[in-house]
Amino acid sequence: MERVPILKIGDILLVSIQVDMSDETAVALQEDLAERIVATGCHGVIIDITALDIVDSFVGRMLSTIASISRVLDAETVVVGMRPAVAITLVELGLSLNGIRTALNVERGMELIAIDRADDDHHEEWDDGPVAGATASP
Amino acid sequence: MTNGVDLGRPQAQTVGSDEDVVRVRQLVRTVAVAVRLSLVDQTKVVTAASELARNTLVYGGGGTVEVTAIDNGRRPGIKIVFVDSGPGIADLDLALTDGYTTGGGLGLGLSGARRLVDEFDIQTASGQGTRITITKWSR
Ligand SMILES: Nc1ncnc2c1ncn2[C@@H]1O[C@H](COP(=O)(O)OP(=O)(O)OP(=O)(O)O)[C@@H](O)[C@H]1O
Ligand SMILES: [Mg+2]
């Protein structure tokens, strides 16, 4: 069985799907990614599907599952590079890709993840409540 | 036609594994290109074929897929037949409902595939296997 390689770039895991995946390969990718997220402590996953000429219900479900798994493991997933014909077909097929964030390309995906992490950090500080002795800003 | 695709000559692919579903997609793509389907229509018919071939494998216990380049005198098209001798589908209306699944899928394969093609014919009965024929015409 072919395996889809996972690259680590800074704080992000990049998966560039270059083959017409069998269902088995898709399932293996799900598991490999979960392990890599935990092993690397990465907070972002970018799945580049530029080379995919179709996304059917199985691959669509895999993308949703990856997004859910990474969320539980404190990582954001962004799917990038969907071809226009693929998007049109997905909608007609009835796949909503619920919970999946998308961006046009890898750079935009990275920006999205960076913005997200910045927001999260902000919220975490805020959630902790005012630090003793701190004064409200004017 | 091009690419070893002859008008009216069916090309068969057995479906007995995951990799065979990949082969079905590739065969359908080749013929869809040969009959000059637009890129969007190629994508639609390959996606529909992927759904139906997976059903043939998962629910039908395997079977065969036949892909044929056709012409109705006005325009070329692609015809694909999926055959299995599995359990068949007892309640077809139910199976064709968006979201209905007995296998923990999304229940979009059959209903979605029907939307993606121009013609969709299904012959099935409980214990009689399933035979689905789809057609997509070049515009
Ligand atoms: N070839 C077949 N033989 C027997 N039953 C079938 C066959 N194809 C489909 N079915 C039945 O019809 C149901 C609906 O099929 P459909 O492809 O729409 O959904 P699914 O395969 O369950 O999920 P999805 O395709 O979205 O992953 C299946 O769950 C199965 O019970
Ligand atoms: Mg299905």
Side-chain angles (χ1 to χ4, degrees):
Chain A
M1 180 193 62
E2 269 184 284
R3 275 187 126 84
V4 178
I6 302 170
L7 304 177
K8 182 173 180 298
I9 300 178
D11 188 32
I12 284 176
L13 294 177
L14 176 65
V15 181
S16 179
I17 304 176
Q18 295 294 335
V19 291
D20 188 342
M21 286 184 295
S22 69
D23 292 0
E24 205 189 354
T25 299
V27 170
L29 173 59
Q30 243 164 251
E31 291 162 8
D32 291 350
L33 248 181
E35 273 168 26
R36 286 294 294 276
I37 292 171
V38 172
T40 59
C42 281
H43 292 302
V45 175
I46 292 183
I47 303 181
D48 185 359
I49 60 167
T50 311
L52 281 194
D53 53 21
I54 70 151
V55 170
D56 62 13
S57 67
F58 197 90
V59 171
R61 188 146 45 105
M62 175 207 75
L63 294 173
S64 290
T65 306
I66 286 177
S68 306
I69 294 172
S70 24
R71 203 164 298 131
V72 173
L73 297 175
D74 194 24
E76 273 296 322
T77 301
V78 182
V79 172
V80 307
M82 187 182 295
R83 299 183 185 183
V86 171
I88 292 167
T89 302
L90 268 182
V91 170
E92 203 162 318
L93 183 66
L95 260 185
S96 53
L97 292 192
N98 266 331
I100 298 185
R101 313 192 56 189
T102 54
L104 223 48
N105 53 37
V106 174
E107 289 89 64
R108 293 279 183 84
M110 288 191 165
E111 281 167 26
L112 207 58
I113 289 172
I115 292 169
D116 253 50
R117 292 310 294 179
D119 275 4
D120 276 6
D121 290 349
H122 182 75
H123 283 261
E124 273 160 27
E125 273 168 36
W126 199 71
D127 289 345
D128 289 342
V131 182
T135 48
S137 37
Chain B
M1 290 196 181
T2 52
N3 264 329
V5 177
D6 296 332
L7 199 64
R9 185 172 62 84
Q11 301 195 60
Q13 172 66 55
T14 53
V15 179
S17 72
D18 267 9
E19 278 77 25
D20 289 339
V21 176
V22 175
R23 291 187 189 104
V24 168
R25 289 199 288 261
Q26 288 163 352
L27 176 59
V28 170
R29 169 76 62 178
T30 304
V31 176
V33 169
V35 299
R36 298 182 194 287
L37 255 56
S38 71
L39 184 57
V40 170
D41 284 344
Q42 286 171 35
T43 307
K44 287 182 180 179
V45 76
V46 173
T47 305
S50 183
E51 295 296 341
L52 298 175
R54 182 177 296 108
N55 283 352
T56 299
L57 177 68
V58 174
Y59 303 110
T64 54
V65 175
E66 265 187 19
V67 187
T68 316
I70 55 175
D71 197 312
N72 66 0
R74 284 180 299 127
R75 45 193 186 163
I78 178 172
K79 182 174 94 168
I80 314 168
V81 185
F82 306 79
V83 184
D84 69 63
S85 40
I89 303 175
D91 189 335
L92 194 53
D93 285 343
L94 194 58
L96 280 165
T97 308
D98 271 359
Y100 175 79
T101 176
T102 59
L106 297 171
L108 288 175
L110 271 185
S111 49
R114 181 161 68 163
R115 279 191 290 273
L116 291 171
V117 298
D118 296 323
E119 286 156 35
F120 183 97
D121 174 72
I122 178 163
Q123 286 166 24
T124 183
S126 204
Q128 304 283 300
T130 301
R131 180 190 181 92
I132 298 178
T133 307
I134 61 175
T135 310
K136 189 98 184 156
W137 298 105
S138 163
R139 292 165 216 290

